[in-house]
Amino acid sequence: MKRFILGGALAAVLALPALAADYTIMAPAGPGGGWDQTARTMQDALQKEGISGSVQVQNVPGAGGTVGLAQFAASTAGKADQLIVGGYVMVGAILTNNSPVTLKDITPVARLTGEAVAIVVPAASPLQTIGDLVEALKADPGAVSWAGGSAGGVDHITVGLLAKAAGVDPTRINYVAFSGGGEALAAILGNQVTAGISGVGEFLPQVQAGTMRLLAVSSDARLPGVDAPTLAESGYDVVVQNWRMVAAAPGLSEADRAAVLADIEKMAQSATWKEALATKGWADTYLAGDAFAAQLDKEIAATEAVLRDIGLVK
Amino acid sequence: MGTFDLLLQGLAAALDPMLLLYALIGVTLGTAVGVLPGIGPALTVALLLPVTYGLDPAGSLIMFAGIYYGGMYGGSTTSILLNTPGESASVITALEGNRMARAGRGGPALATAAIGSFVAGLIATLGLAFLAPWVVKFALVFGPRDYFALMVLAFITVSSAFGDSTLRGLTSLFVGLALACVGIDQLTGQARLHFGVPQLLDGIEVTTLAVAMFAVGEALFVAGRGNGAPDEVIAVRGSVWMTRADWARSWRPWLRGSFIGFPIGALPAGGAEIGTFLSYAAEKRLARHPEEFGQGAIEGVAGPEAANNASAAGTLVPLLTLGLPSTATAAIMLAGFQQFGLQPGPLLFATNPQLVWSLIASLLVANAMLLVLNLPLVGLWVRLLTIPRPWLYAGILLFATLGTIGANPSPVELAMLLAFGVMGYGMRLYGYPIAPVVVGLILGPMAEQQLRRALSIAQGDVTTLVSSPVSAGLLAVAALALVVPMILRSRGRGRVLAQVASDAD
Amino acid sequence: MTGLPIEPQRRPDGAAFVIAALLAALGALLVVEGISLPDRGGYSGVGPGKVPLAVGLCLLGLAGWTVLAGLRGETEVPPRQAARPVLWVLGGLVAQLALLHTGGFTLASGALFGCVAHGFGARRLPVALGVGLVLAGAVYAVFDGLLRLTLPAGPVERLIFGG
């Protein structure tokens, strides 16, 4: 019986159809994280929709994606079947790590999904609104400790932007970096810090359970089902989205680039992809081609400015 | 419906013959991959998770639980027999376990590990079932300063793994701490000691170091003894089973290990290794024959192995109640839970009790299945040692490098494996203990980051480090652990120990 | 277990000084790095350079202690080592490293297996290499094909698995 099941599994794996147009997607991170999940969801959608025969996912972890990015840029020039997943974190990591390879060295294809950042306080905190928190920050920046993800990441950048928008010197924020949003979550729940900042999805279950209070989100409009104002409507001109994208190899011909764009477009419109986004709770922020490239340039410039303000980039 | 009823219902459902078969397949696969040297539970779970995708929810859940416990247990087998831990939590198991295996007592070592894992798994899974809401409250009390105090305690107690020379033990530890400085400083984003190599920016992978120093270093050392040297490894001497004395010496360490491992595993930033360090130190202090430690003391296998498995179940506490993965294995499991429609978080126990209880029931069934599968296999595993050395060590290195290549197929990573392997070889030659290097690499960054976080939150006020009850208590225990042996020694009771230690080398 | 500790092999030993020099070099490296990193401790007052500095200073101290121990003849005397098998094992690891991305997993790991087995006393190298290639191929088939672990592919993998 056991042998039968194993044999069946073996046969099923070996019998996968071998079609043409086999993409290889690099996830510049270890298995399990957001970029890896994005790559594997793409793999699934591309295969199920018959856009590509067999899609391989390759993990190259390291340094906020810059290790994978450097390897990708160096080894794939002109190859239309090579894709890489990336995101906003990469923009900051390239700057803080002084990476010689940047997003200019690859061909951005499309933004796929994104998530706003949420600012929370522990349920027991006396601070009730984002205004209260900013007042406390103005009074004594050092006394307001922020728990969030890694230094120079999207959480840190958002705090820097908020401080600047509120007229507080961004170099004086007391940002405490934790490994990933998870450990920060524990510090907030344990009332160890004044405020916390991380992806909305990370905090939402806690907010619903009443263990922390959501003060504001960084999206450009209120999020459906989330009872919190945006930073912008609260009077601080800060809009941040932690997006994820897919890019192609450098040096593609116009025809190749158009073909990749068409494949990704087909994938992003497919039922499989939309269903996956819904089950994973990822927002569809699809933006492709030249529009995305222009948006990317703007974000890189803005990020560089704020990292300079915080003092992370010289 | 009460907690107990829900659990019974889950158990009754899990006892369906088809589900038991899935549990058996899961445990077999988990053990089979986990047992390969250099492949730890995180990689095992990641590799085997997709196998569960095609089944119905109940079946895939139970198979998944089997893979998880099988992978956890499989890792200790090669640690004990071949001195090749595939992950940091079984480094301590290898210390005494491998000594036992070399003396022909591999059977009892494996058996105490298997039964200890079962006992710890049972206690900790029941703890997860009935105490999770309280344990998580306790865990959240821990802030950066409390973690720092815990690290201090771990540093002090880890000296019990130093072997016979304080100088060589401290040197090994500080080499590990030096390696821990490599990479991006997490609190400021500042790159340290990377020498322009981008792969070093994320620091040195604990698994790579452990596999290199143990598996590669060991292979070189054994090779260096030459082919003419008599083989000092004896597969079986005496009984392959545990004797009455083994049982008498094992049951207390199993229980102590379980009670140390479970709460530490439940700490969101605790990590499974810390529990094994503390358990080893506790057993060494409490043992009737502490001089046997380092020579193959069964308590030193029973305790840490129980602690390791209890903390594996403890890890599920923050994972299920907060949605917080605190180890690499847990992060992969989180992805696994999502395929069952299980959204870990504060509301999970309230909104989805059926799934939670069938998961817990599955864990209990898988835990029992593991014992059923592995106890009869102990005799077979021990035969591993009778494989002719050329094929055995060639196989060890093949799988040890497979683990590294599979996790990160970069030449830099393989080169590090080679370099640290040579370092492990050199350290063996000159009698430097290996485990403290790995311990330093694990504890160093944790201690540094928690210290700096605590000081940052308190705006540089050093008194914050002793101003929470937990941190003050832990530091007091650490001080006692440091001072009491000194007092004992000065009163003469330590003389015998010192004598024995100087004879040992 | 009784009697005077007889230590016939304990005498001043060059190895202690080599080890001390290595430790001192490592310590100095950390001290230099610790001092040269910008002091950005922020509110904690402990910057990224402080811990490397402290560890480096401790290593320098341990180097000194090692010299003292060496002078007193307290160094461990290494057991006799045969060079040939060690070199074969090292050669196998280097061969794997060199072949991994050009020749693929099967060739590289087969070479590793063959060299290590030969070093450990398997007399005929071609047989050992053959066994290694078959085993590595099987491992590739199971882990890459069945379990979807991406392993570097080379000519052998492309020939057999077509991709």
Side-chain angles (χ1 to χ4, degrees):
Chain A
M1 184 66 193
K2 195 173 95 192
R3 182 165 301 166
F4 172 74
I5 290 175
L6 284 178
L10 179 68
V13 169
L14 293 180
L16 280 175
L19 304 182
D22 292 345
Y23 280 111
T24 299
I25 309 176
M26 180 189 285
W35 289 344
D36 179 63
Q37 284 187 42
T38 309
R40 289 184 196 272
T41 310
M42 285 179 67
Q43 173 187 37
D44 198 43
L46 286 169
Q47 285 178 173
K48 275 206 188 125
E49 296 290 332
I51 301 166
S52 174
S54 110
V55 179
Q56 287 262 341
V57 172
Q58 188 192 6
N59 292 95
V60 183
T66 53
V67 172
L69 178 69
Q71 185 183 325
F72 184 83
S75 65
T76 61
K79 292 184 189 159
D81 58 350
Q82 301 287 323
L83 298 174
I84 184 170
V85 167
Y88 187 50
V89 175
M90 220 180 225
V91 174
I94 288 167
L95 293 164
T96 48
N97 296 348
N98 262 326
S99 169
V101 177
T102 71
L103 295 179
K104 294 255 177 278
D105 300 306
I106 57 174
T107 311
V109 175
R111 184 176 73 192
L112 295 173
T113 166
E115 187 183 38
V117 166
I119 295 173
V120 297
V121 290
S125 166
L127 305 170
Q128 297 297 327
T129 65
I130 185 72
D132 295 348
L133 180 62
V134 171
E135 282 315 310
L137 186 69
K138 280 182 179 162
D140 182 359
V144 178
S145 50
W146 300 82
S150 59
V154 61
D155 307 335
H156 196 176
I157 288 172
T158 309
V159 178
L161 287 171
L162 176 62
K164 209 169 146 191
V168 176
D169 178 1
T171 58
R172 294 193 59 212
I173 55 177
N174 191 355
Y175 185 82
V176 186
F178 285 81
S179 34
E183 254 187 66
L185 187 85
I188 302 158
L189 288 173
N191 226 341
Q192 308 285 344
V193 289
T194 316
I197 183 156
S198 185
V200 174
E202 188 115 35
F203 287 151
L204 218 45
Q206 302 294 341
V207 173
Q208 281 158 357
T211 51
M212 45 174 71
R213 189 157 50 245
L214 181 54
L215 298 186
V217 292
S218 71
S219 47
D220 51 2
R222 282 197 180 215
L223 298 171
V226 177
D227 180 27
T230 65
L231 286 171
E233 74 175 81
S234 311
Y236 314 103
D237 183 21
V238 177
V239 176
V240 174
Q241 194 193 49
N242 189 7
W243 44 264
R244 293 181 201 149
M245 64 151 186
V246 58
L252 290 191
S253 70
E254 262 317 300
D256 280 344
R257 178 164 176 260
V260 173
L261 256 170
D263 277 352
I264 297 297
E265 171 97 30
K266 216 195 281 175
M267 180 204 77
Q269 305 305 336
S270 72
T272 315
W273 176 256
K274 301 233 172 208
E275 213 173 279
L277 287 185
T279 52
K280 289 179 195 293
W282 295 349
D284 190 350
T285 61
Y286 186 70
L287 180 71
D290 296 332
F292 174 51
Q295 171 71 19
L296 189 58
D297 284 340
K298 263 204 313 210
E299 293 220 11
I300 292 172
T303 306
E304 187 165 0
V306 67
L307 286 175
R308 254 178 233 291
D309 288 339
I310 307 175
L312 279 177
V313 171
K314 294 274 154 3
Chain B
M1 229 189 300
T3 305
F4 200 66
D5 294 331
L6 281 165
L7 181 61
L8 283 183
Q9 210 175 45
L11 272 176
L15 288 176
D16 173 77
M18 204 56 207
L19 291 182
L20 286 180
L21 180 69
Y22 286 139
L24 183 64
I25 296 173
V27 168
T28 311
L29 285 176
T31 311
V33 176
V35 84
L36 298 173
I39 298 185
L43 194 57
T44 306
V45 174
L47 283 176
L48 292 175
L49 202 53
V51 178
T52 67
Y53 284 169
L55 306 171
D56 60 284
S60 69
L61 201 63
I62 203 162
M63 198 185 216
F64 172 79
I67 289 169
Y68 179 53
Y69 275 162
M72 292 299 301
Y73 172 74
S76 63
T77 305
T78 36
S79 296
I80 290 171
L81 293 178
L82 307 172
N83 206 12
T84 54
E87 36 105 32
S88 43
S90 42
V91 163
I92 296 290
T93 310
L95 279 183
E96 299 302 321
N98 189 246
R99 288 292 180 160
M100 289 182 69
R102 274 158 198 265
R105 308 229 315 125
L110 288 178
T112 199
I115 303 170
S117 298
F118 171 75
V119 171
L122 186 66
I123 293 175
T125 310
L126 290 175
L128 169 69
F130 296 105
L131 302 176
W134 293 277
V135 174
V136 78
K137 277 206 187 93
F138 156 78
L140 285 177
V141 169
F142 272 65
R145 57 190 167 189
D146 310 299
Y147 282 114
F148 177 69
L150 181 65
M151 299 307 148
V152 171
L153 177 63
F155 268 122
I156 304 250
T157 53
V158 92
S159 60
S160 59
F162 273 3
D164 49 31
S165 156
T166 311
L167 168 62
R168 289 195 290 268
L170 272 179
T171 306
S172 291
L173 182 66
F174 272 90
V175 168
L177 290 175
L179 295 176
C181 292
V182 174
I184 293 176
D185 167 42
Q186 233 217 325
L187 281 97
T188 57
Q190 181 73 49
R192 304 194 294 208
L193 294 164
H194 64 106
F195 312 108
V197 181
Q199 280 86 352
L200 286 180
L201 285 174
D202 275 355
I204 292 164
E205 193 67 45
V206 176
T207 324
T208 305
L209 183 79
V211 170
M213 306 256 336
F214 280 93
V216 180
E218 177 83 2
L220 287 167
F221 189 64
V222 176
R225 285 208 304 261
N227 305 320
D231 201 335
E232 65 180 48
V233 177
I234 304 139
V236 183
R237 178 187 286 157
S239 170
V240 90
W241 299 108
M242 289 168 68
T243 62
R244 187 180 286 272
D246 290 336
W247 280 93
R249 289 173 61 176
S250 287
W251 70 272
R252 284 191 198 88
W254 290 337
L255 294 181
R256 278 194 291 264
S258 307
F259 288 111
I260 293 173
F262 179 62
I264 289 188
L267 291 180
E273 310 89 4
I274 313 282
T276 65
F277 302 160
L278 293 180
S279 164
Y280 183 82
E283 294 313 327
K284 193 172 177 181
R285 285 275 146 79
L286 295 171
R288 292 247 176 79
H289 306 283
E291 73 280 1
E292 276 183 32
F293 273 73
Q295 311 298 321
I298 195 165
E299 293 92 341
V301 181
E305 199 46 34
N308 181 9
N309 277 268
S311 81
T315 305
L316 294 175
V317 172
L319 186 65
L320 290 176
T321 56
L322 302 175
L324 193 73
S326 50
T327 61
T329 319
I332 295 160
M333 290 178 69
L334 186 61
F337 288 150
Q338 278 158 351
Q339 65 156 318
F340 310 128
L342 228 157
Q343 263 319 327
L347 299 176
L348 178 67
F349 278 81
T351 57
N352 221 338
Q354 241 67 33
L355 257 173
V356 178
W357 290 106
S358 48
L359 172 69
I360 289 172
S362 300
L363 289 171
L364 286 173
V365 170
N367 193 31
M369 194 64 89
L370 191 65
L371 194 69
V372 171
L373 176 77
N374 276 297
L375 270 188
L377 283 182
V378 162
L380 186 72
W381 289 130
V382 176
R383 311 303 298 177
L384 265 183
L385 292 177
T386 59
I387 296 174
R389 280 200 304 182
W391 311 120
L392 179 63
Y393 279 94
I396 291 175
L397 286 188
L398 176 64
F399 284 110
T401 53
L402 169 72
T404 307
I405 295 169
N408 185 2
S410 130
V412 179
E413 205 71 22
L414 266 188
M416 278 204 267
L417 193 75
L418 180 58
F420 291 134
V422 172
M423 185 167 110
Y425 173 55
M427 290 178 64
R428 275 180 171 76
L429 283 184
Y430 289 94
Y432 285 85
I434 304 295
V437 185
V438 183
V439 170
L441 183 65
I442 296 167
L443 289 183
M446 286 175 145
E448 178 189 358
Q449 286 165 16
Q450 300 293 10
L451 171 69
R452 288 167 60 191
R453 278 185 198 130
L455 288 176
S456 188
I457 291 170
Q459 299 186 58
D461 178 6
V462 191
T463 57
T464 184
L465 298 179
V466 290
S467 54
S468 91
V470 176
S471 68
L474 286 170
L475 287 174
V477 175
L480 282 178
L482 192 65
V483 174
V484 170
M486 286 183 191
I487 296 173
L488 288 181
R489 195 160 302 153
S490 70
R491 284 172 52 190
R493 269 186 61 191
R495 242 192 359 240
V496 187
L497 293 185
Q499 181 64 49
V500 171
S502 74
D503 280 354
D505 59 13
Chain C
M1 299 294 275
T2 53
L4 291 169
I6 303 160
E7 296 161 355
Q9 286 174 308
R10 288 194 169 172
R11 57 192 144 70
D13 180 37
F17 305 113
V18 176
I19 293 170
L22 288 173
L23 288 176
L26 182 62
L29 181 71
L30 269 95
V31 169
V32 170
E33 180 83 2
I35 293 171
S36 59
L37 284 173
D39 191 28
R40 286 208 318 245
Y43 286 94
S44 72
V46 182
K50 293 282 168 59
V51 169
L53 181 64
V55 174
L57 290 175
C58 289
L59 279 169
L60 289 177
L62 286 166
W65 189 352
T66 305
V67 169
L68 285 180
L71 288 175
R72 279 185 274 155
E74 290 171 3
T75 320
E76 191 96 336
V77 177
R80 282 183 65 82
Q81 291 286 298
R84 217 187 67 96
V86 174
L87 289 176
W88 269 106
V89 175
L90 281 178
L93 287 165
V94 172
Q96 187 194 35
L97 179 61
L99 281 173
L100 189 64
H101 284 275
T102 49
F105 177 82
T106 307
L107 276 183
S109 298
L112 167 75
F113 188 96
C115 291
V116 173
H118 187 59
F120 271 93
R123 300 229 180 272
R124 276 177 300 186
L125 184 61
V127 175
L129 284 173
V131 173
L133 282 178
V134 171
L135 185 65
V139 166
Y140 183 87
V142 170
F143 280 85
D144 191 281
L146 257 180
L147 297 177
R148 293 302 172 104
L149 181 73
T150 310
L151 296 171
V156 177
E157 287 82 0
R158 275 191 280 273
L159 192 69
I160 299 177
F161 303 99

